[in-house]
Amino acid sequence: MSAQTDAFPQSRPAPLSENSGKDNDADHLRIVPARRTSQWAAAVVVLLLLALALNSVIRNDAFQWDVVGDYFTTASVLRGLGLTLWLTALVMALGFALGTLLAVLRLSANRVLQAVSWGYVWLFRSTPILVQLLFWFNIGALYPEILGVRTVNLLGPVTVAVIGLTLHEAAYAAEVVRGGILSVERGQIEAAQSLGLGVWRRFRRIVLPQAMRSIVPPAGNMLIGTLKGTSIVSIIAVQDLLYSVQLVYHRTYQVIPLLLVATLWYVVVTSLLSVGQHYIERHYARGTAGAR
């Protein structure tokens, strides 16, 4: 019996270490979040400053909010707003159509086409939009006749605005589309090629839907920027939103309230566009981390 006991010694409980009691106590400790007193103090200061600024804007009689309310929905202002929205939509559609073509040329294997696309983007991104509009507005002074057609007074202010803004936006749209196409994995394109899909079908069904995740955010920013940028066409007497309110305050000398009318309309429209951009981004981000 003793031999068996020696052969199979009974297991004894391990002695408690000195830190075991401390470990058990640590398991019951309550985790206290870090205090961010300075951040809350800064937030209170910022809110206080915003409240003071808002109060000064609302209660300052110089803003003439009653005049703003009178002119906010007048016929002339709404006509100017309609022209601004129409010009923005047309310029974005034409600009992205031309920009997509330029992006495809830039990504082609032909060196000449690459050089032409690069040169276009370089030229129109290097020239201020105001200078471009003035050049197109005075095209008759540069080329009095093109292909037997006299160019003097041939292009009206609205046509000049469409041409100038479209050519300008196309240069930026080309880079946006090119970046979106480059974001698509090369394996996706090779898989589509192995299936025998044509170039146009491969671009439309495989490349473009995946590239939209990278195209939509900067395109939305371009849309909002174009909406506000159309105000520059007032320099060539296009009766957009800004030019419409300018006509009014040149007659009534109520500059501040009329500028507030234009500002509020820009804020309303850009806010609506931002909401639409959010949902479009979420639509194309389905199945990715961006969908959150």
Side-chain angles (χ1 to χ4, degrees), residues 78-79 121 129 225 247:
L78 293 180
R79 281 196 301 268
V121 173
I129 180 60
L247 290 178

Side-chain angles (χ1 to χ4, degrees), residues 80-156:
L81 176 63
L83 180 59
T84 296
L85 297 177
W86 174 83
L87 190 61
T88 301
L90 183 62
V91 166
M92 285 297 295
L94 296 178
F96 263 89
L98 180 58
T100 302
L101 177 61
L102 291 170
V104 173
L105 296 181
R106 182 76 179 275
L107 296 173
S108 67
N110 191 304
R111 296 291 184 180
V112 176
L113 298 180
Q114 290 181 11
V116 170
S117 176
W118 180 88
Y120 179 97
V121 173
W122 167 78
L123 177 63
F124 282 91
R125 288 204 307 177
S126 303
T127 311
I129 180 60
L130 178 59
V131 175
Q132 297 178 33
L133 288 175
L134 292 177
F135 264 116
W136 285 107
F137 192 71
N138 296 280
I139 190 65
L142 298 174
Y143 299 97
E145 187 174 327
I146 299 178
L147 299 176
V149 179
R150 291 189 58 81
T151 58
V152 178
N153 299 325
L154 178 63
L155 301 178

Side-chain angles (χ1 to χ4, degrees), residues 175-184 207 210-212 214-215:
E175 292 301 287
V176 171
V177 175
R178 185 173 71 92
I181 294 175
L182 292 176
S183 67
V184 180
V207 177
Q210 298 183 69
M212 289 298 290
S214 300
I215 292 175

Side-chain angles (χ1 to χ4, degrees), residues 256-277:
I256 298 299
L258 268 301
L259 288 179
L260 283 174
V261 170
T263 301
L264 291 176
W265 271 120
Y266 282 121
V267 170
V268 170
V269 177
T270 53
S271 300
L272 294 176
L273 292 177
S274 299
V275 173
Q277 177 185 352

Side-chain angles (χ1 to χ4, degrees), residues 160-177:
V160 170
V162 172
I163 293 175
L165 292 176
T166 297
L167 296 179
H168 177 77
E169 292 298 318
Y172 290 90
E175 292 301 287
V176 171
V177 175

Side-chain angles (χ1 to χ4, degrees), residues 21-31:
K22 297 181 180 179
D23 294 339
N24 294 332
D25 294 339
D27 294 338
H28 299 286
L29 292 178
R30 184 169 60 92
I31 299 176

Side-chain angles (χ1 to χ4, degrees), residues 40-53:
W40 281 107
V44 171
V45 172
V46 170
L47 290 177
L48 180 60
L49 293 176
L50 288 176
L52 293 175

